[in-house]
Amino acid sequence: KETERSLEIGFYDSKPIPQTPSEILKRYVDEVSIKKRGYKEECLRLLKIARHPIAETLVTQLKPLQFVQYRDERLKKVSSSTVKKELNLLCHVIETARKEWSYYIPHNPIEGVRRPIENQGRDRRLSNEETLLLLDACRSSENPWLLPLVILAIETGMRRGELLSLEWANINLNRRTCHLPMTKNGTSRDIPLSSRAIDTLNDLPRNLSGFVFPVSRVALRGLWLRGCKRAGIEDLRFHDLRHEATSRFFEKGLNVMEVAAITGHKDLRMLQHFTHLRAEDLAVKLG
């Protein structure tokens, strides 16, 4: 009875008991997520989960079956990759509450839940005709930054966020390099610039903000969709340009380590995921 009473008032062995996962999620957002790079996306993800009915269940009553049902429900709405990320994030939130905040949670109910198998990675490549159509469509855009953005993406393999955060102060046209002080994997990176990339940068006006491309993510999304529509190109994402660039690096004869130095991939298996060589091009090499 004494133990039950301790549980009711919120303490057990001097350990506080959160009433619902929603409370833990919000604390995690305030104390952990806020310190991460790319925290905005994670915060939005966690706060959305906090509004789900599963987040209003008493923590002491959470069972693996509830997260299995959550998994299956989410798989009907989003990709398996997204669901896997959500489950892994939720698992880490619960572990943080148990081990670092000393909340009394007998076990982590997500730990044994099977994660969905991720879909096979995209292998979208641009054909020569599509490349010309895309560049022409970007050239006719009302926004002067779209065309050079696309060209730099194909020439350098930089991520969208890296391009939009690129500053003139970190570009050395004489050495033909640009420096990224902080990238997605938490390290800096120097990227070599091709002749076409140099010519594109030389033609750009300098914006007072200091950014090479003073365009927001939201604005770029709209520009990209309209550009693809004008070009008549379907199922092409801006991130596919990174795949295209990586594949072209290999087609130019660069080895694995050279390509990894440019793209910033730490895991060579991930680099393989980004590389899609055309069979017809390989056939030419075979003779």
Side-chain angles (χ1 to χ4, degrees), residues 192-205:
L193 299 172
S194 66
S195 297
R196 191 179 189 190
I198 291 291
D199 291 340
T200 301
L201 289 169
N202 278 327
D203 290 339
L204 285 179

Side-chain angles (χ1 to χ4, degrees), residues 121-255:
R122 286 171 62 84
D123 58 356
R124 184 69 163 89
R125 289 286 312 267
L126 279 169
S127 66
N128 293 332
E129 182 182 0
E130 284 182 324
T131 301
L132 294 175
L133 289 171
L134 178 63
L135 294 179
D136 284 341
C138 292
R139 192 174 289 109
S140 62
S141 172
E142 72 279 6
N143 190 300
W145 307 107
L146 182 59
L147 178 62
L149 248 173
V150 170
I151 292 175
L152 261 291
I154 295 175
E155 291 297 313
T156 65
M158 282 194 278
R159 301 178 179 90
R160 178 186 58 181
E162 293 170 347
L163 286 163
L164 296 181
S165 62
L166 186 61
E167 298 183 32
W168 284 109
N170 291 322
I171 293 178
N172 190 320
L173 294 175
N174 293 325
R175 294 179 56 192
R176 296 179 51 169
T177 61
C178 69
H179 177 69
L180 301 177
M182 182 60 68
T183 62
K184 183 180 179 180
N185 56 27
T187 60
S188 62
R189 186 165 93 250
D190 290 318
I191 298 176
L193 299 172
S194 66
S195 297
R196 191 179 189 190
I198 291 291
D199 291 340
T200 301
L201 289 169
N202 278 327
D203 290 339
L204 285 179
R206 302 297 197 269
N207 188 270
L208 292 176
S209 66
F211 290 106
V212 178
F213 300 108
V215 181
S216 69
R217 285 175 177 262
V218 175
L220 177 57
R221 186 179 300 116
L223 291 169
W224 175 255
L225 291 174
R226 291 192 293 274
C228 288
K229 186 176 181 180
R230 283 195 302 274
I233 299 175
E234 298 180 354
D235 188 34
L236 183 67
R237 305 171 186 172
F238 192 88
H239 194 66
D240 290 333
L241 300 183
R242 180 164 162 83
H243 291 244
E244 180 67 28
T246 304
S247 297
R248 291 188 181 193
F249 292 149
F250 280 111
E251 290 168 349
K252 289 179 179 179
L254 276 67
N255 62 44

Side-chain angles (χ1 to χ4, degrees), residues 84-101:
K84 183 177 180 181
K85 288 178 183 177
E86 289 180 0
L87 289 175
N88 288 339
L89 181 57
L90 279 169
C91 189
H92 188 262
V93 170
I94 298 295
E95 281 301 292
T96 300
R98 293 178 71 230
K99 296 179 178 179
E100 296 189 20
W101 298 338

Side-chain angles (χ1 to χ4, degrees), residues 20-23 25-26 44-58 62 65-75 77 86-87 90:
T20 64
S22 179
E23 296 175 28
L25 290 168
K26 290 173 182 176
L44 290 174
R45 189 189 299 272
L46 288 172
L47 292 175
K48 184 176 181 180
I49 296 173
R51 295 192 295 270
H52 190 277
I54 199 172
E56 297 305 323
T57 306
L58 290 175
L62 285 173
L65 178 60
Q66 293 164 291
F67 290 97
V68 169
Q69 294 170 340
Y70 171 84
R71 177 199 65 198
D72 295 343
E73 173 197 325
R74 291 290 289 155
L75 282 172
K77 301 176 182 178
E86 289 180 0
L87 289 175
L90 279 169

